[in-house]
Amino acid sequence: MTSSIKKIQRKSRYRTVGLMPGTLNIDKSALTPKMEVFSYNKDGLTTTDAKDIDVVLQQVKKQRSLTHWIQISGIGDAKLLETLGASLDINPLVLEDIVNTHQRPKFDEYDDYVFMVSRVIYFNDEGELANEQFSALIKGNILITFQETYVECFPAVKTRLSAGKGLIRTAGPAYMAYALTDTILDLYFVVLAQIGESLDELEDKLYDSPDKSVMYNAQQLKRSLINVRRAVWPERDKINDILRTDNRLISKDVKMYLRDAYDHCVQIMDLIENDKEITSSIIDLYLSMVSNRMNEIMKVLTIISAIFIPLTFIAGIYGMNFAKIDPVTNKVMPDNMPELYSEHGYYYAVAAMLFIAVIQIIIFWRKGWFSKL
Amino acid sequence: MTSSIKKIQRKSRYRTVGLMPGTLNIDKSALTPKMEVFSYNKDGLTTTDAKDIDVVLQQVKKQRSLTHWIQISGIGDAKLLETLGASLDINPLVLEDIVNTHQRPKFDEYDDYVFMVSRVIYFNDEGELANEQFSALIKGNILITFQETYVECFPAVKTRLSAGKGLIRTAGPAYMAYALTDTILDLYFVVLAQIGESLDELEDKLYDSPDKSVMYNAQQLKRSLINVRRAVWPERDKINDILRTDNRLISKDVKMYLRDAYDHCVQIMDLIENDKEITSSIIDLYLSMVSNRMNEIMKVLTIISAIFIPLTFIAGIYGMNFAKIDPVTNKVMPDNMPELYSEHGYYYAVAAMLFIAVIQIIIFWRKGWFSKL
Amino acid sequence: MTSSIKKIQRKSRYRTVGLMPGTLNIDKSALTPKMEVFSYNKDGLTTTDAKDIDVVLQQVKKQRSLTHWIQISGIGDAKLLETLGASLDINPLVLEDIVNTHQRPKFDEYDDYVFMVSRVIYFNDEGELANEQFSALIKGNILITFQETYVECFPAVKTRLSAGKGLIRTAGPAYMAYALTDTILDLYFVVLAQIGESLDELEDKLYDSPDKSVMYNAQQLKRSLINVRRAVWPERDKINDILRTDNRLISKDVKMYLRDAYDHCVQIMDLIENDKEITSSIIDLYLSMVSNRMNEIMKVLTIISAIFIPLTFIAGIYGMNFAKIDPVTNKVMPDNMPELYSEHGYYYAVAAMLFIAVIQIIIFWRKGWFSKL
Amino acid sequence: MTSSIKKIQRKSRYRTVGLMPGTLNIDKSALTPKMEVFSYNKDGLTTTDAKDIDVVLQQVKKQRSLTHWIQISGIGDAKLLETLGASLDINPLVLEDIVNTHQRPKFDEYDDYVFMVSRVIYFNDEGELANEQFSALIKGNILITFQETYVECFPAVKTRLSAGKGLIRTAGPAYMAYALTDTILDLYFVVLAQIGESLDELEDKLYDSPDKSVMYNAQQLKRSLINVRRAVWPERDKINDILRTDNRLISKDVKMYLRDAYDHCVQIMDLIENDKEITSSIIDLYLSMVSNRMNEIMKVLTIISAIFIPLTFIAGIYGMNFAKIDPVTNKVMPDNMPELYSEHGYYYAVAAMLFIAVIQIIIFWRKGWFSKL
Amino acid sequence: MTSSIKKIQRKSRYRTVGLMPGTLNIDKSALTPKMEVFSYNKDGLTTTDAKDIDVVLQQVKKQRSLTHWIQISGIGDAKLLETLGASLDINPLVLEDIVNTHQRPKFDEYDDYVFMVSRVIYFNDEGELANEQFSALIKGNILITFQETYVECFPAVKTRLSAGKGLIRTAGPAYMAYALTDTILDLYFVVLAQIGESLDELEDKLYDSPDKSVMYNAQQLKRSLINVRRAVWPERDKINDILRTDNRLISKDVKMYLRDAYDHCVQIMDLIENDKEITSSIIDLYLSMVSNRMNEIMKVLTIISAIFIPLTFIAGIYGMNFAKIDPVTNKVMPDNMPELYSEHGYYYAVAAMLFIAVIQIIIFWRKGWFSKL
């Protein structure tokens, strides 16, 4: 499910041994950036599809009364980032963190800007758990966000922005960053809802028609949960760091909303722990069912074997050819298997067999082998 | 047992991706609110069934010398909450928390009011573990509580209130909030008593007539315990937060009683850990019994097989038809199975069989297969 | 072992939903109090069996130069406690904690008195682990202790008191409280010594003649250990709380001795962890033995079956009745089982069987089935 | 894989019981030191292969305007270290730590120098996980590094140094120490990439053709992961210690880069936890497969046995030789096995067998033995 | 291995319920003390075997310019301790801790002396893990050490002392205490080296010829490791306590060396965790091998049974005696087993058997039963 992601992660790290920190070592498979600029205040909103970051930044710097959100999707252009870094005076380490898309969620403060990373997690069209990096940079009245792919995660935020309702138009770039982060957390709830449904299906399957796939699927879900947890734990720490900062870029109002986002993180972690417990419980039940199945199989084998093997032995006894009379010498040997020549020998033998079988069935019934465990 | 609750939880979260914080996104299945108003001081108590929150609040604001407890059951009316929010100047995030009924227990302080959430847990009539949200808002001399359903959890508190005994009439809304919280904790003890009884039954069953259901039931009880624990851990933190606040709405007297409630939380957590250990112990014993049962089955099979298979082989030997005399040519072949034509061959064969059987029984008895493990 | 205690605990909680805090809801089975009063200073000791708490307290209040230890055994008298509470001005929550005998060890400070709870743990005459509450109240020069039953736990302390040796006569009620607490900790060592002996026996049994009871007993011991641990962990916290208080009722000298008691707590916890590891090790070894036993059983079955089943098949072949000559038509069919009519057919068949058996024995011997694992 | 390393570790410790601290107890197998000196500032770089530490240090002390990195590979010369210690006035404990190559990563501050230890981890040519000690000493403008072997770990750093790009020429010895440490961390990523590939292969094997080696290899990988974790945990603490020091040898700029290295540590720990989870999951799946395989085997055995054993018994019955007529007396016994002399007895017997077989197959099919679990 | 130690521990505790703190309750089996006195300064060393503690202390008090180390081996003399306590004014609780040899490592500070406890751990001549108490008392220029047995642990320290090299002669009693503690830690490394060798042997055995003893030995080693860990954890805390004290008896120089000892503690804990992981890994592999062995056994049984049981059934069929002609009435019944009278019936039957066997072998081969898992 997530192995392809994992491999990319390792390979891209493999090539950077001993490189200079701050080097923009962009992955070959990274997408060409697309840019969309949202400039707004409480009176209006302008949306622009931009090509040249330089032009955008110059324009943006002029409009000091507006808040600007520059949404960059795709990070496959070192030039763009270098231009941006030079124009806004951003530390190369930050730029490196933007292109090296394996950062854990974090919040870094610099002299006059802040930088934050989140993980965007969703099931993609192939049913794999995608784990993208989303980074945001706040400087003055500008918010620049970077996303690995073109997947649109924020339609609802954009709708709110164009509707002009609420604080979104008036509360500045930090509130916008909060709105995006909270939307990303909402996506976590969606992923957990999907995992929850899979767990429900798995549980139904466990009770209805358990087979090997239960174990595989439970392990897969467990790994997905662990992946989500690995993203959400540092996310919570990140939000906590923002809550405790006294950076003037993060206003008290935004912090009040972030406390809400913090609660959501804790709820997500709670749901993950719950789902992990359910997964463990499914695995335990499955393993117990395998044991019980084995028990049942062995009981059937043992009951049938135990009953028939002695009977077959008796039949074998009376199938022996010890001769009463020697065919060559005609010597009579009355001691050899006299039962065979007794008038009701056959009936006695069958009666003995029935008796043994009944005794055994009673013993097994008493042991409870016909009903329980 | 709890899967229906779980699903609702996930689905209701699923629809809110990117919504504006503070949006009152009320679940379709939420119940129409019922309101009951208790106005009291040490001299008297008035109880009113109210319809219109606006009327209630205006009346309540006038009677400054009384403490008012407005109990709202059912949260399916956005209008009511908006009116209340506007009239008392409550933050929309608080209102959202009231209707979004998946909050963990918490205590939030605002300028001139405090807000707290608890989880009400009980086994409902279908034997499922219900997990409702109970929220309380204290502003001035008013306490407003919100509950998801109409289930009456506080008859004893109301009795104490009408009896006029103790601090309940004189110690203000925070004491009432404490009394309700402590009653909710008492319900946890009831749930744990019920789980404890189920554990006792399960343990009896384990010793008397263990079957597959032991494993299922133990897992179910484990999950119930985890659910209670998930409610009580943050409850303890919440009470701790209240104990450490210096908010003037929470008097020193109330805190003394809350320390008692805190002790109850710790006791509940203690009982849960104990019951979890018992559950684990039951599961371990059950799995060990399954193993032992398998051992016993295999021993029966092995003893019977090991004894009779060689005997049957001997019988098979003497059931072979190697001919002493050729029926066509009448050629005599004295080397073919001379035992069959020996005078006491049969007796010797039976004696050999008995000997082998006795030897094997002695070996198995020495190995202790007839008695132990 | 401890299930009866557990049930009582749950039931008694069950009845108190929503009761007023501080209500003295005494369990029906609680014993009638017995009172013994020890009044002493360095010069002498008076011991009195008292009936009326009121009389006792009045007398005691007069003798300011003496230290008084009022030992109350049995808590089944609400009146006594109310009198005591009124006379010494004790908070009703403290009185409730005394009769509600499921408190965890704790240390509570009030204006001019302190209250502490310990758990007394011992194996009673039925071999069950009794878990009683012991509470102590220090006010001025008076120490009042409450115990659930009449079991005498402190003969050695009383001997020291009457001997008049050491600090016990001179160091006031807090030192006496320390002496009693340390004695209770000594009882924990006794319980652990008994559990340790049971573990040794269990280990001997495991090596000598393991059977199902090993698993049951190991689980029982594990639960006993968990019960002791649940008592000793908060006991340590309690002592730590006392060590850190600056309450003038707890002198610096007493604290020095309490540090010793603290070390004992840590030693007890250490022993418990050790014993838990031993228990786990016993359980693991037992389960591994069950597996090995199964392996051994299966090997016996497989060796015997694998050797004899093919041989029996060969015997079966030559037990077939394909006719060389048709009894009705006398038609000769020389192709039907010519081996039966070969002069040494029998010997060849037996030789073939022996060969197969030897080959198989060699294979199994090479696989190491006759010796290891 | 790592056992040889482990043994060396233990043996070298074994000989030092009670030795004076600071004794240079060099392992016999330690390599003769090679020295390379890099003297540089922003204008130029001189690289020298040196033999005599004394000469090097005297020369180095003269060139105060340059930064000097003395790279010493191989630590098998006590004299060299003593000279160095005397010349630079280094505490003997530091020298002991350099030669006793089992130090955990740490950062020690002394009056005018600092000392730090890292672990260099890589898979060597034999595929074993090598775990070397790398120590660095910063005093004034001099950085001295010690490595156990001649393995070249820093080609990229030396390239950057000779290229003269970036801070490496200008930021002094602490920045160089940071650059080396970060390169060592990059090697951890390489090791994790290799372990990750092995895990992928193992997982493929698990699904394609699982055999015993899965368990062995999973355990080996788990141990490798634990070894890496044991190195990286204290490494993180070390970096944290450096970040919190106010030693003037560590400038604020270097700390900014170290924060980046700290993030790398956390990422490595994250990858390790992830890989450990994957390893556990592989082991669990493998064990579950073994159980399922057993189940499948037992089902085959049971189905075949259960079907054929009763049939064989019936065949055995009619293979008995109860005589209808006594060959000696010619007495007729019509009760003995009349079925054998019934005209269609054979057909009836075969029909009965077929019936029993079909019934059993239906029963097993209904139990789902032909398809699931 | 360690059970005898455990029992002594419990029994000796058992007798002290309620005893006065500070009572010297010496174990019957305690050895008679031997005393050796080392008086030294940088100029010289006098070693004396002493009998009377009183004489020793008087002499020692006179020689203020010398450092005195009084090594007492064996603690079975209450009188000696009481004399010592009286002469040096030592708290009875300290004396009790010296004779009650179950103390955890700790560091206690008193007015003008300090007291510390360590555990000496080594494998004794019987191969059992001995766990002795070593306590040290520093007052002024005197160090008194107490050891349970006469086992000489400090020959290297005494050699250094008589050699007069290093700080040992000049740095006072605290440095000597450090030197002894560090030597004790070196003994831990020796124990871990021995455990490590046992683990290596166990691992070799696991791969070469696994049997039941693997499980027993792994459990034994695990317990030994836990015992060492139980000693070293509080040892680390103790050293940490000494490092943080500002007691003038512990000089800054000694603390620098203690930091080294602290590092050793952490290294020991690291080795223990590593060895515990290896032990767990051995146990897991062993259990997996037992499972695989079972699988292999069952496969052999199933293949042989599955192949031969149907064949034996066919042979059984044709061993039936359904008669073609009634021996009494001579009635011909051509429908009874006509195959027996077919000219090539025997060949057809054998061919059918071969066909069934080959089909089954192909099926099992396809299932991979002949090679993997």
Side-chain angles (χ1 to χ4, degrees), chain B residues 307 311 352-362:
Chain B
I307 291 174
L311 305 191
M353 287 174 185
L354 274 175
F355 178 75
I356 289 171
V358 167
I359 288 291
Q360 290 209 59
I361 286 167
I362 289 170

Side-chain angles (χ1 to χ4, degrees), chain D residues 6-7 10 13 18 91 104 106 223 290 294 296 298 318 320-321 324 340-342 344 346, chain E residues 160 186 200 203 256 263 266 275 277 294-295 298 321 323 326 333 335-337 339 367 373:
Chain D
K6 195 180 60 201
K7 275 177 196 164
R10 282 170 186 140
R13 288 291 331 172
N91 192 307
R104 303 173 87 226
K106 63 173 179 175
R223 280 205 212 164
V290 171
M294 181 79 98
E296 196 192 352
M298 292 311 302
Y318 294 114
M320 293 195 296
N321 295 323
K324 188 167 185 179
L340 294 180
Y341 309 102
S342 122
H344 300 290
Y346 178 50
Chain E
R160 275 158 61 196
D186 282 343
D200 288 353
E203 220 166 359
M256 196 184 66
D263 284 355
V266 177
D275 286 356
E277 297 272 6
M294 181 77 99
N295 244 323
M298 292 310 303
N321 295 323
D326 192 312
M333 293 164 290
D335 282 351
N336 274 355
M337 311 194 78
E339 302 94 323
K367 275 177 183 279
L373 203 68

Side-chain angles (χ1 to χ4, degrees), chain C residues 66-85:
Chain C
L66 298 180
T67 303
H68 305 278
W69 169 28
I70 307 174
Q71 186 191 25
I72 301 177
S73 307
I75 49 157
D77 183 354
K79 189 116 196 311
L80 182 149
L81 284 160
E82 278 156 12
T83 312
L84 193 147

Side-chain angles (χ1 to χ4, degrees), chain A residues 78-90:
Chain A
K79 189 113 198 313
L80 183 149
L81 285 160
E82 278 156 12
T83 313
L84 193 147
S87 172
L88 294 177
D89 194 22
I90 303 298

Side-chain angles (χ1 to χ4, degrees), chain A residues 272-284:
Chain A
I272 291 170
E273 291 314 310
N274 193 36
D275 286 356
K276 278 193 73 186
E277 297 272 7
I278 291 173
T279 316
S280 298
S281 160
I282 285 173
I283 290 172
D284 287 353

Side-chain angles (χ1 to χ4, degrees), chain D residues 2-3 5-11 13 219 223 226-227 229-230, chain E residues 123 188-203 217-229 266-284:
Chain D
T2 64
S3 58
I5 294 161
K6 195 180 60 201
K7 275 177 196 164
I8 291 165
Q9 203 165 343
R10 282 170 186 140
K11 276 175 193 158
R13 288 291 331 172
Q219 293 286 354
R223 280 205 212 164
I226 288 163
N227 272 332
R229 191 176 60 174
R230 279 174 60 216
Chain E
F123 283 103
Y188 286 19
F189 280 107
V190 174
V191 165
L192 287 178
Q194 288 166 321
I195 290 177
E197 269 168 45
S198 302
L199 276 176
D200 288 353
E201 279 166 27
L202 204 57
E203 220 166 359
N217 292 339
Q219 294 285 354
Q220 288 292 10
L221 288 171
K222 206 169 148 191
R223 280 204 212 164
S224 297
L225 285 168
I226 288 164
N227 272 332
V228 181
R229 191 176 58 174
V266 177
Q267 269 184 50
I268 291 167
M269 281 155 56
D270 220 42
L271 282 173
I272 291 170
E273 291 315 309
N274 194 36
D275 286 356
K276 278 194 70 188
E277 297 272 6
I278 291 173
T279 317
S280 298
S281 161
I282 287 173
I283 291 173
D284 287 352

Side-chain angles (χ1 to χ4, degrees), chain C residues 296-343:
Chain C
E296 197 192 351
I297 291 170
M298 292 310 304
K299 267 198 310 198
V300 168
L301 176 59
T302 300
I303 290 170
I304 291 180
S305 300
I307 291 174
F308 284 104
I309 283 178
L311 306 190
T312 304
F313 165 65
I314 292 174
I317 288 274
Y318 294 114
M320 294 195 295
N321 295 322
F322 287 96
K324 190 170 185 178
I325 184 162
D326 191 313
V328 178
T329 61
N330 281 325
K331 180 181 161 202
V332 174
M333 292 164 292
D335 282 353
N336 274 355
M337 311 194 78
E339 302 94 323
L340 294 181
Y341 308 103
S342 122
E343 200 159 354

Side-chain angles (χ1 to χ4, degrees), chain E residues 110-123:
Chain E
Y110 293 87
D111 284 347
D112 59 349
Y113 57 94
V114 296
F115 175 65
M116 56 185 88
V117 176
S118 289
R119 309 294 317 172
V120 178
I121 291 187
Y122 56 89
F123 283 103

